Amino acid sequence: MSIHISAKKGDIADTVLLPGDPLRAKAIADTFLENAVCYNEIRGMLGYTGEFNGKRVSVQGSGMGMPSLSIYVNELVGLGAKRLIRVGTCGAYQPFLKLGDIVIAVSASTDSNINNTAFDHLNFAPTASFNLLLGAYQEAQNRSLEVHVGPIFSSDIFYQDDPDHFRKWANYGILAVEMETAALYALAAKHKAEALTILTVSDSLVTGEVASHQDREKNFLKMTELALSQI
Ligand code: HPA
């Protein structure tokens, strides 16, 4: 047992999908998994293990932001997880990204100090697992999905004071913003696990557009199917 996950070794599959929202973990289990067992309800942060196409997989809510995700990732690797695939939403920083497009994150710049603290204020470059990234990209192409592969920004701040804050990052090629991946990639590296973040665009900092709740859910499930193809 770990502090925030009421599972023991063997309860968690080698591959874990990590949505931020625990209700999305439930939706993934209900929609895609066979023989799903809920192994965690602590703090409402639902976790399930089941089968997809005969392969064992877990899906664990991570919560929002790097401190929350870090707690779950540390405990999951302690319970034996070897591949961690975050499935989430992002805000577009580039005009060519449309609502519902898929972003696969090569790397994650950040305004967070979470990794700098661990590295005594030197900079670590959080990077995706190449094998997972290549597999997800090729499968996205096979499925004719609108997919963009590149760097993202993991922020501690959802509501920035300056509405133009994103432009600096956009000028350096950052595709989109979310709030977890810089910590996920660093922790995966530390624990010799593989990690990948796959996101669907839910809003645009460039145009101010926001996807409807229905479209968000539809796009989220389409992206999750792509993630499940990699287990
Ligand atoms: N900012 C930060 N995180 C996000 C956003 C955003 O606009 N959209 C989805 N996750």
Side-chain angles (χ1 to χ4, degrees):
M1 294 286 171
S2 58
I3 295 175
H4 303 88
I5 302 178
S6 56
K8 48 188 188 327
K9 278 210 165 131
D11 290 346
I12 308 285
D14 284 358
T15 304
V16 184
L17 263 54
L18 290 165
D21 179 352
L23 291 180
R24 289 212 175 115
K26 179 172 175 0
I28 292 169
D30 289 346
T31 310
F32 295 114
L33 302 194
E34 282 168 28
N35 306 316
V37 174
C38 179
Y39 61 76
N40 193 52
E41 291 186 348
I42 297 174
R43 290 175 181 255
M45 203 56 80
L46 302 169
Y48 301 82
T49 297
E51 284 154 34
F52 180 77
N53 286 344
K55 289 190 197 145
R56 213 161 163 256
V57 63
S58 297
V59 51
Q60 170 67 55
S62 70
M64 283 184 281
M66 290 177 257
S68 180
L69 172 126
S70 299
I71 288 171
Y72 292 99
V73 166
N74 271 300
E75 295 188 20
L76 286 167
V77 293
L79 289 161
K82 301 197 170 13
R83 271 184 302 281
L84 303 155
I85 307 178
R86 166 164 153 68
V87 283
T89 58
C90 63
Y93 273 12
Q94 299 290 344
F96 53 82
L97 288 180
K98 299 181 298 301
L99 298 183
D101 283 3
I102 289 174
V103 172
I104 301 179
V106 173
S107 62
S109 297
T110 187
D111 55 16
S112 164
N113 251 328
I114 204 159
N115 294 331
N116 287 355
T117 305
F119 279 89
D120 288 333
H121 298 281
L122 299 177
N123 292 314
F124 177 79
T127 312
S129 149
F130 180 70
N131 284 339
L132 277 179
L133 188 145
L134 183 64
Y137 176 67
Q138 287 175 335
E139 187 57 31
Q141 291 223 304
N142 290 343
R143 293 173 187 222
S144 303
L145 299 175
E146 285 291 332
V147 63
H148 309 264
V149 180
I152 64 162
F153 183 59
S154 298
S155 184
D156 276 348
I157 305 168
F158 190 93
Y159 296 106
Q160 293 281 352
D161 286 346
D162 175 6
D164 285 330
H165 168 271
F166 78 93
R167 292 190 196 279
K168 174 83 178 181
W169 297 96
N171 288 343
Y172 279 69
I174 298 289
L175 295 177
V177 60
E178 50 83 92
M179 303 184 79
E180 290 82 16
T181 298
L184 171 65
Y185 286 179
L187 286 172
K190 176 179 173 184
H191 293 285
K192 315 267 182 295
E194 291 185 281
L196 183 66
T197 287
I198 310 178
L199 304 164
T200 174
V201 177
S202 61
D203 55 280
S204 170
L205 283 286
V206 185
T207 64
E209 288 171 290
V210 179
S212 68
H213 180 70
Q214 270 180 335
D215 282 351
R216 280 171 82 119
E217 294 314 305
K218 192 182 74 197
N219 294 332
F220 188 83
L221 290 177
K222 187 177 66 181
M223 174 192 57
T224 300
E225 270 188 293
L226 173 65
L228 283 167
S229 73
Q230 298 308 303
I231 66 173

